[in-house]
Amino acid sequence: MTTKKILDFLDRHRTEGPCLVVDLEVVRKNYRTYKRALPRTRIHYAVKANPAPEVLALLVRLGASFDVASIREVEMALRAGASAGSISYGNTIKKEGDISRAHQLGIRQFAADCPEEVEKIARAAPGAQVFCRLLTDGAGAEWPLSRKFGCDPAVACDVMRHARRLGLDPCGLSFHVGSQQTDPFAWQRALEEVVRVFHVLAGDGIVIKCLNLGGGFPSRYLRDVPLAADYGREILRALRSRFGNAFPDTVIEPGRGLVGDAGAIRSEVVLISRKSGSDPLQWVYLDIGKFNGLAETMDEAIRYPITSRYGRGKAVPCILAGPTCDSVDVLYENTPCRLPHDLKIGDEVLIGGTGAYTATYASVGFNGFPPLEVHVV
Ligand SMILES: *Cc1c(COP(=O)(O)O)cnc(C)c1O
């Protein structure tokens, strides 16, 4: 969403290269919307989506907890004022030294999806709480996170038994239905497996106290997506149908859903050309591409709304590409993007919905282009 605050900021600030502007009001509104959709569920913001200090500090003030992927993110959350008790280390792939460092900083919750990781946690963070992550199929997600993370129900039971054997607290189960999950019923399918593991473990005397329902809540890009309230209703319905009214504590870990629509990127058109006299489509090259912020256009997975405040003519299909000397730096070609036919070199375009997974995905200096500039308003 390109808000008036963002447009005002852009009008007042000239920048050399592309820049991302994040409107904190939208983050605040999104947080409240998810809180309302799932009132009894704790919200752990997935820091990797956008770790801007102002975003983290706002979420601390709103009472959020945090999900982190690395020791640097632990430090960023602490610096923004989060308490160590409100941070969970949700990455299932951690160096033992990082677990140890996090434990020294007071972090008590760690995720694992195999007994080998549990061993590390037991050595580096004795007595810590362990969440076991279950595999999901990622169906319905535009940016799936399946396969790499999670384990099947039998391994999950082993993970929790192993955690107990090693003196850890096997307290929770987690899953992630895939990022930009456009199907509110995805949680229901994942919960079926979770419930089976829950009961097997209960038979072993392991009481699961918390279910971490992960992230995946979508942001609106080109197409409408279901509302937070729809997700909340389906998740609560799924929980009640399996546990009755006495279900375990629940946590969600939204990243994209909290910050995606809070940001917009201003970019400049560097070149407009055709490859041959008979080329039906023109190529539009921007000063931003896959290597300085738009990595999620990989396989054209995420389709950002792109608008121009200059060209006002009829929209025509264009192949959109980034500025680097790498042929993978093409953003939209299979499904071209529509831009005004009178767009000119030097015009600016606004790329909406870019508050999540942009600045942190920018390279430090591929081809000499600097990382994406970020402003928070
Ligand atoms: C990335 C990630 C999230 C956030 O996912 P979104 O799709 O942005 O909501 C939440 N939890 C974990 C463990 C993650 O890796």
Side-chain angles (χ1 to χ4, degrees):
M1 194 166 23
T2 311
T3 62
K4 180 162 184 313
K5 239 165 103 191
I6 293 176
L7 293 175
D8 286 349
F9 177 88
L10 289 171
D11 284 340
R12 279 182 282 117
H13 290 80
R14 289 291 106 203
T15 47
E16 278 279 307
C19 72
L20 166 66
V21 187
V22 177
D23 184 342
L24 287 180
E25 270 316 306
V26 181
V27 180
R28 186 196 312 270
K29 187 188 97 254
N30 289 339
Y31 182 84
R32 295 205 167 125
T33 303
Y34 277 97
K35 204 64 216 164
R36 218 174 302 126
L38 289 161
R40 289 202 292 155
T41 298
R42 209 146 25 93
I43 298 181
H44 286 214
Y45 171 59
V47 172
K48 72 177 188 286
N50 188 328
E54 299 90 337
V55 170
L56 299 181
L58 168 71
L59 289 167
V60 169
R61 287 199 300 279
L62 292 173
S65 298
F66 296 87
D67 172 68
V68 300
S70 67
I71 200 71
R72 278 280 308 280
E73 285 191 352
V74 171
E75 290 165 355
M76 286 190 258
L78 290 173
R79 213 173 301 131
S83 66
S86 72
I87 299 172
S88 65
Y89 204 144
N91 192 344
T92 53
I93 304 153
K94 303 173 284 303
K95 285 187 177 170
E96 192 166 325
D98 289 344
I99 299 173
S100 171
R101 174 101 186 93
H103 188 248
Q104 283 162 18
L105 291 170
I107 311 307
R108 293 292 172 264
Q109 290 184 15
F110 297 87
D113 62 4
C114 61
E116 292 79 356
E117 187 75 11
V118 173
E119 303 252 335
K120 289 191 226 164
I121 298 170
R123 286 191 297 264
Q129 299 179 335
V130 175
F131 278 73
C132 182
R133 174 136 168 206
L134 281 137
L135 263 172
T136 60
D137 62 12
E142 291 177 11
W143 191 263
L145 299 166
S146 52
R147 289 219 26 84
K148 181 169 172 185
F149 309 102
C151 58
D152 77 6
V155 175
C157 292
D158 286 345
V159 163
M160 295 314 245
R161 291 184 195 116
H162 201 52
R164 180 174 61 178
R165 209 176 297 131
L166 296 179
L168 296 163
D169 175 9
C171 78
L173 297 173
S174 71
F175 60 87
H176 194 299
V177 293
S179 200
Q180 187 68 6
Q181 176 53 261
T182 54
D183 179 8
F185 294 95
W187 279 262
Q188 190 172 334
R189 291 193 298 274
L191 276 167
E192 272 164 36
E193 297 231 306
V194 168
V195 169
R196 254 188 289 140
V197 173
F198 181 94
H199 288 303
V200 172
L201 289 172
D204 292 346
I206 295 177
V207 181
I208 297 299
K209 295 183 280 293
C210 182
L211 299 181
N212 183 326
L213 313 171
F217 304 93
S219 186
R220 189 188 187 288
Y221 295 106
L222 279 179
R223 271 178 287 140
D224 274 338
V225 289
L227 301 173
D230 300 325
Y231 288 86
R233 190 182 56 245
E234 291 313 323
I235 287 172
L236 286 175
R237 200 201 304 271
L239 286 167
R240 289 208 179 97
S241 78
R242 283 160 184 82
F243 294 101
N245 274 331
F247 47 81
D249 288 345
T250 51
V251 166
I252 55 170
E253 295 176 334
R256 193 186 301 277
L258 291 188
V259 295
D261 66 352
I265 287 173
R266 173 170 63 194
S267 167
E268 179 184 325
V269 176
V270 181
L271 184 65
I272 302 179
S273 64
R274 285 179 201 262
K275 302 289 167 196
S276 70
S278 59
D279 200 343
L281 296 187
Q282 60 183 10
W283 285 68
V284 174
Y285 300 89
L286 302 178
D287 63 355
I288 189 165
K290 279 204 164 67
F291 297 98
N292 53 347
L294 303 182
E296 285 201 318
T297 57
M298 198 186 298
D299 299 326
E300 307 191 14
I302 298 294
R303 295 199 64 93
Y304 297 106
I306 301 176
T307 52
S308 161
R309 287 201 278 167
Y310 298 109
R312 298 186 186 282
K314 181 170 159 290
V316 294
C318 306
I319 298 171
L320 197 69
T324 63
C325 298
D326 190 311
S327 58
V328 307
D329 195 9
V330 176
L331 307 176
Y332 302 120
E333 182 174 15
N334 294 331
T335 308
C337 118
R338 301 183 71 83
L339 290 168
H341 73 88
D342 54 346
L343 191 69
K344 293 185 307 303
I345 292 173
D347 281 355
E348 69 178 43
V349 295
L350 290 172
I351 310 172
T354 38
Y357 304 119
T358 49
T360 44
Y361 263 146
S363 74
V364 292
F366 183 53
N367 281 210
F369 292 112
L372 184 60
E373 213 177 292
V374 182
H375 300 276
V376 178
V377 295

